[in-house]
Amino acid sequence: MHTEPNSASAPGAEGFLEVRGLTKTFVRSRDLIGRPRERVHALDHVDLSVKEGETLGIVGESGSGKSTLGRVILGLQKADDGDVLFRGENLGTLSARAMARRRRDLQMVFQDPYSSLDPTKTVETSIAEPLLVHDGQRLSQSRERVRELLGLVGLRADYAERYPAEMSGGQRQRVAIARALALNPKVIVADEAVSALDVSTQSEVLNLMMRLQAELGLTYLFVSHNLAVVRHISTRIAVMYLGRIVEIGPAEEVYAEPRHPYTKALLSAIPIPDPVIQKTRERIVLLGDAPDPAHPPVGCNFATRCPEAVEECHRVDPALLPVDDGRRLAACLLLEPTAAG
């Protein structure tokens, strides 16, 4: 049985970016004549609301659907069902030409800058590409803008003549961010944007993104498997498990007092720098492996691994409902829902 979740919105959300009932499956296998035989459920009726200017961190294990969510929101992958609305405009109903115009406002920074940047092109050509495609500029016309963008991300103007192989991972990611900023977007989806970097470089890039957000009024969807990194940059945190959001709320509250058992387990796995606290803290070990997304369990998807599950959890599919006086939402039968604030 599936219970439709409530919208995972912040109290007072203004409808800047809305996701409604988003569903996405991938074909795992086909029969002899090519018909889909088995589908993997990557997104299962996801509802989400993002306010302008905030950073929504999206976390979860590998296979939770967090990267797919970002790609579907940007139209890089087509949803099976559901809607993505940007400032009230349904992106799924736009023509190819109208969607191309809208892409100016919605950009992405990928995990591996070495893969996302063409190794045969200079930094100048890579950053200028959006200007050539969307504005019809020639490379010579975009030169000043490219150097302005390099300065914005903390790189000297002479980096324009370099190739990706001549730079460090952190420098390449700065170039990727500069390219994403070329068209003055409103929303940036950062998909594991710092996971390939060492810890010190991660901190530098995160601080850069926070500075750019303050200066340019950007809205971020920050996708990561690392809750510690997400806490550093996020206004709110959405926790995903098996294609669904199971908890969402203010970052500090989710981190300080997680409500869903899955969020508790994720946080318990983060090492604490104090060896005394680390030695005495409780580590929540999940039972078994994550269910096969092609054959999700009956009832709560997390019940098969949850150390707190009761019999009802294996029969009833929990909705995403307000808890803690509506400050956050959680999908767990063991929590007492409250009126939204």
Side-chain angles (χ1 to χ4, degrees):
M1 181 179 71
H2 175 73
T3 304
E4 294 295 333
N6 282 12
S7 176
S9 59
E14 300 169 357
F16 176 68
L17 178 63
E18 299 277 346
V19 171
R20 298 177 182 173
L22 212 58
T23 299
K24 175 66 178 176
T25 61
F26 295 100
V27 177
R28 174 186 284 177
S29 61
R30 297 179 182 272
D31 61 20
L32 293 176
I33 61 174
R35 293 176 304 189
R37 182 171 58 188
E38 191 175 49
R39 290 182 177 272
V40 173
H41 300 267
L43 297 176
D44 186 4
H45 296 87
V46 174
D47 286 8
L48 194 63
S49 182
V50 184
K51 292 196 296 184
E52 186 171 8
E54 78 167 337
T55 298
L56 177 65
I58 304 173
V59 299
E61 294 173 293
S62 177
S64 63
K66 56 189 186 298
S67 292
T68 301
L69 177 59
R71 290 171 179 268
V72 171
I73 287 174
L74 294 188
L76 300 179
Q77 293 174 336
K78 185 174 177 59
D80 297 347
D81 195 15
D83 299 310
V84 177
L85 292 88
F86 178 66
R87 290 181 165 171
E89 185 176 46
N90 192 332
L91 301 184
T93 64
L94 297 181
S95 65
R97 179 175 294 183
M99 187 61 195
R101 290 195 298 267
R102 181 53 71 194
R103 287 191 189 281
R104 303 177 65 94
D105 295 323
L106 307 164
Q107 293 291 312
M108 190 165 196
V109 176
F110 296 92
Q111 176 178 357
D112 183 2
Y114 196 75
S115 297
S116 63
L117 297 174
D118 189 334
T120 67
K121 293 182 178 179
T122 64
V123 164
E124 179 179 49
T125 304
S126 292
I127 295 177
E129 186 174 9
L131 300 171
L132 274 61
V133 171
H134 289 272
D135 292 343
Q137 294 187 16
R138 293 190 297 272
L139 188 59
S140 59
Q141 295 174 306
S142 63
R143 201 150 279 156
E144 183 178 344
R145 175 61 173 160
V146 168
R147 279 150 179 76
E148 177 189 346
L149 289 164
L150 285 172
L152 201 59
V153 298
L155 295 176
R156 299 191 309 271
D158 62 354
Y159 274 79
E161 306 307 318
R162 297 193 185 187
Y163 289 87
E166 300 176 296
M167 297 181 294
S168 67
Q171 290 167 343
R172 287 194 290 265
Q173 197 61 292
R174 287 172 185 264
V175 170
I177 292 171
R179 182 177 60 180
L181 293 174
L183 297 172
N184 297 312
K186 304 296 186 295
V187 177
I188 290 181
V189 175
D191 186 7
E192 299 282 6
V194 299
S195 64
L197 308 176
D198 62 63
V199 175
S200 61
T201 308
Q202 281 186 7
S203 179
E204 292 175 2
V205 173
L206 289 173
N207 289 335
L208 168 66
M209 293 181 67
M210 294 167 70
R211 175 176 64 78
L212 292 172
Q213 182 177 42
E215 292 178 1
L216 305 176
L218 298 168
T219 301
Y220 290 140
L221 271 70
F222 192 88
V223 176
S224 178
H225 66 280
N226 190 330
L227 258 171
V229 169
V230 168
R231 180 195 187 189
H232 181 71
I233 194 172
S234 298
T235 312
R236 290 188 299 144
I237 293 177
V239 182
M240 292 192 69
Y241 182 79
L242 217 64
R244 297 187 187 180
I245 293 174
V246 297
E247 181 170 356
I248 184 169
E252 287 302 323
E253 291 188 24
V254 171
Y255 196 94
E257 190 179 358
R259 302 290 277 141
H260 195 279
Y262 179 60
T263 312
K264 294 177 184 178
L266 287 180
L267 285 169
S268 77
I270 299 175
I272 293 177
D274 188 324
V276 177
I277 298 177
Q278 177 65 22
K279 187 175 181 179
T280 58
R281 71 194 294 243
E282 179 186 3
R283 171 70 194 276
I284 301 173
V285 180
L286 298 180
L287 309 172
D289 297 323
D292 183 349
H295 305 284
V298 176
C300 175
N301 281 348
F302 187 58
T304 57
R305 303 177 72 194
C306 181
E308 303 177 30
V310 297
E311 183 180 349
E312 188 180 13
C313 298
H314 296 277
R315 294 185 288 104
V316 179
D317 187 3
L320 191 63
L321 297 174
V323 296
D324 298 340
D325 297 325
R327 294 193 308 277
R328 67 176 106 174
L329 304 171
C332 181
L333 297 176
L334 304 179
L335 298 175
E336 188 70 30
T338 61

